[in-house]
Amino acid sequence: MNEADPETKTTFRRVLLKISGEALMGDQGYGLHPPTVQRIAQEVKSVHDLGVEICMVIGGGNIFRGLQGSAQGMERTTADYMGMLATVMNALAMQSALEGLGAYCRVISAIRMDEVAEPYIRRRAVRHLEKKRICIFAAGTGNPYFTTDTAATLRANEMNCEAIFKGTKVDGVYDKDPHKFDDAVRYDTVSYDDVLAKRLGVMDASAIALARENNLPIIVFSLDEPGGLRGILAGKGTYTTVR
């Protein structure tokens, strides 16, 4: 983590933002909610304007979730590929919103579909970030049986990000669901091992293990808090750090 730059007032140089597909559907039960996509895009743009190099991974659960398809009798590999395609749709929606705000943005897919997205080439993606373009990594890792949590941790390591910022519905990691239990306690910091042992649900086990092996902190914050991401990058706000 770098010292705070007096001009940008941020302690981070390059980060990865991980959000779920469900975060894009607002109060709807399915699909994309354009005002919500626009609000998140504005948040990302405000961080980018601080001089932070930012990349993103967006889930696809608002359109299709592979595990649910598999549970309903669909062959798992096919279901997971369908889920990957859903993440591409979300990435294109976010790209459109960001470009509408004047940000330069690239969608980079782990599955080749050259007409709509760039193929994932690590050095090219790093160069995009160096040129201050926002990169949205889509289609997970390109492999079935891996979640977008794992894809986010993999890409964050490959891009040499200083942290993963995970936007959720709550302002950090709790010992139990704060929506169900009034006595739920929020952690300021929590170890990777405790997240795994206590099944705190930050990310799946593969993602947590990969972050632990590479000493990559995960910062969990509320995506519903206006200006929350920008505030945390400036050293303010409420969040939990997994490290």
Side-chain angles (χ1 to χ4, degrees):
M1 190 180 300
N2 297 332
E3 294 299 321
D5 185 323
E7 294 183 1
T8 62
K9 294 183 172 58
T10 177
T11 56
F12 294 90
R13 177 184 59 86
R14 180 182 295 170
V15 301
L16 184 140
L17 173 62
K18 168 63 170 69
I19 62 177
S20 67
E22 288 88 346
L24 303 184
M25 64 187 186
D27 294 330
Q28 302 174 159
Y30 177 82
L32 290 160
H33 184 238
T36 299
V37 176
Q38 184 72 13
R39 177 181 61 80
I40 295 174
Q42 289 171 341
E43 184 86 3
V44 173
K45 174 68 161 50
S46 73
V47 168
H48 189 252
D49 289 344
L50 291 174
V52 178
E53 296 173 6
I54 186 165
C55 45
M56 301 177 67
V57 169
I58 307 172
N62 57 320
I63 299 171
F64 188 87
R65 185 178 293 278
L67 274 175
Q68 291 177 352
S70 178
Q72 294 172 9
M74 186 177 291
E75 194 271 324
R76 174 64 188 271
T77 301
T78 298
D80 279 355
Y81 278 121
M82 290 173 68
M84 291 179 216
L85 296 179
T87 72
V88 177
M89 295 171 69
N90 285 338
L92 292 172
M94 183 59 64
Q95 179 188 43
S96 178
L98 285 165
E99 290 181 340
L101 296 171
Y104 293 100
C105 183
R106 298 289 186 273
V107 172
I108 302 172
S109 173
I111 298 174
R112 292 194 71 100
M113 47 185 77
D114 296 346
E115 288 76 12
V116 297
E118 292 185 10
Y120 177 71
I121 300 172
R122 179 185 170 275
R123 288 180 179 271
R124 181 185 291 176
V126 169
R127 188 60 179 149
H128 284 319
L129 292 173
E130 291 171 347
K131 289 184 176 182
K132 308 305 178 185
R133 297 166 182 158
I134 298 168
C135 291
I136 306 176
F137 297 113
T141 66
N143 305 104
Y145 297 96
F146 290 92
T147 68
T148 51
D149 281 345
T150 302
T153 311
L154 175 64
R155 296 294 183 239
N157 280 305
E158 289 178 312
M159 295 298 107
N160 294 317
C161 291
E162 294 163 336
I164 296 174
F165 281 74
K166 172 138 189 210
T168 69
K169 293 290 185 182
V170 293
D171 58 356
V173 179
Y174 286 77
D175 62 345
K176 48 192 167 186
D177 190 343
H179 291 142
K180 297 179 180 177
F181 301 95
D182 293 335
D183 61 343
V185 177
R186 186 181 61 81
Y187 298 96
D188 287 327
T189 61
V190 62
S191 70
Y192 304 111
D193 289 338
D194 280 345
V195 168
L196 292 171
K198 297 178 181 179
R199 300 179 181 269
L200 296 177
V202 177
M203 287 180 160
D204 66 59
S206 296
I208 294 296
L210 184 58
R212 178 182 60 189
E213 290 168 8
N214 293 277
N215 296 314
L216 179 67
I218 303 166
I219 297 172
V220 183
F221 70 103
S222 173
L223 199 63
D224 294 333
E225 182 70 26
L229 178 57
R230 183 185 176 101
I232 293 168
L233 282 161
K236 305 174 184 177
T238 302
Y239 55 92
T240 298
T241 303
V242 181
R243 61 187 175 193

